[in-house]
C-alpha cells in the first residue's frame, strides 16, 4: 500500500500545536519569572498575573503534575494487566 502525503490539516495542526506551546511558554515565563521585576504592562492578563502571588504557580505546575499522574497511572495499569 503506497503512503499518501500528509494532508493540509495534519500540517496545520502541527503548526498550531507548536504555536500554542510557544504562546504558553511566553505567558508562563512572564508569569513566573519576569512579572516580579517588570512594571505593569497595561495588558489585563499580564497585569493580573503580576499582581497574583499564589495561583499563577498553580496553573503552571498543573500541566507537569497532570502529565506525571497520567503516565504513572498508565504504567500501573500496564503492570496490572500483564501480571
Amino acid at each position: 500500500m503506497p503512503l499518501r502525503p500528509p494532508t493540509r490539516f495534519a500540517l496545520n495542526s502541527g503548526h498550531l500545536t507548536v504555536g500554542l506551546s510557544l504562546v504558553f511558554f511566553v505567558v508562563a515565563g512572564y508569569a513566573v519569572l519576569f512579572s516580579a521585576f517588570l512594571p505593569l504592562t497595561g495588558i489585563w492578563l499580564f497585569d493580573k498575573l503580576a499582581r497574583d502571588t499564589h495561583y499563577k504557580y498553580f496553573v503552571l505546575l498543573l500541566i507537569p503534575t497532570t502529565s506525571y499522574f497520567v503516565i504513572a497511572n498508565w504504567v500501573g495499569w500496564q503492570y496490572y494487566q500483564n501480571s
Side-chain angles (χ1 to χ4, degrees), residues 2-64:
L3 294 175
R4 296 184 315 187
T7 62
R8 186 178 283 276
F9 174 74
L11 294 175
N12 288 338
S13 63
H15 290 125
L16 181 66
T17 302
V18 170
L20 290 176
S21 298
L22 288 174
V23 168
F24 177 78
F25 178 74
V26 168
V27 171
Y30 173 79
V32 173
L33 301 173
F34 302 119
S35 65
F37 304 111
L38 297 174
L40 297 179
T41 61
I43 301 171
W44 176 79
L45 176 65
F46 287 168
D47 292 344
K48 189 168 179 78
L49 287 172
R51 284 191 296 271
D52 187 26
T53 58
H54 179 69
Y55 289 107
K56 64 183 172 184
Y57 303 114
F58 175 72
V59 173
L60 184 64
L61 293 174
L62 190 62
I63 292 171

